[in-house]
Amino acid sequence: MALGRVLIVDDQAYARQAVGLLLSKAGYEVIEAEDGQKAIQIMNEEGNAYKVDTILCDLKMPNLDGPQAITYFQTHCPSIPIVIMTGEPDFVLTEGAGSDGLSGQTGFRKAAAGSGPGDRSPARASEEAALG
């Protein structure tokens, strides 16, 4: 039996696959979506929203971007934790969140000291965040 179910939302297939492989090996069931639109479709499948334990979501995607998808998830399934994962080297959560349409009251937290861009890969940071 899986430890939990994680929805990975990223337009880069290699990112979804890399993070998905790490989480699968750790014992989690993984669902993948290539953009926010597909993620919302997955979450709207009968009963699916209650079976997803965590959402890992990229910010920059075609069709429906991360901030729009995150806003949807926060409104329709507020109890599911959301982890932002991004490959943007200049993204700063406190500044980027507001300009991307995410309010400062979303419950997002900056990474702990010592976990800057050069300290570990985005896939590792996402895995650690998802694993708790």
Side-chain angles (χ1 to χ4, degrees), residues 54-74:
T54 302
I55 300 169
L56 303 179
C57 190
D58 187 18
L59 292 178
K60 307 266 185 191
M61 298 178 287
N63 300 322
L64 188 74
D65 67 9
Q68 292 171 311
I70 290 167
T71 298
Y72 177 89
F73 298 141
Q74 289 176 321

Side-chain angles (χ1 to χ4, degrees), residues 25-84:
K25 285 186 174 187
Y28 291 84
E29 180 181 348
V30 174
I31 304 168
E32 296 182 15
E34 64 271 8
D35 58 40
Q37 185 176 18
K38 179 66 175 171
I40 290 170
Q41 288 173 351
I42 289 170
M43 293 298 285
N44 284 331
E45 291 175 2
E46 188 173 329
N48 201 29
Y50 300 104
K51 295 178 185 173
V52 171
D53 300 301
T54 302
I55 300 169
L56 303 179
C57 190
D58 187 18
L59 292 178
K60 307 266 185 191
M61 298 178 287
N63 300 322
L64 188 74
D65 67 9
Q68 292 171 311
I70 290 167
T71 298
Y72 177 89
F73 298 141
Q74 289 176 321
T75 301
H76 293 88
C77 26
S79 64
I80 299 174
I82 302 166
V83 177
I84 294 175

Side-chain angles (χ1 to χ4, degrees), residues 114-121:
S115 60
D119 296 329
R120 58 187 172 163
S121 71

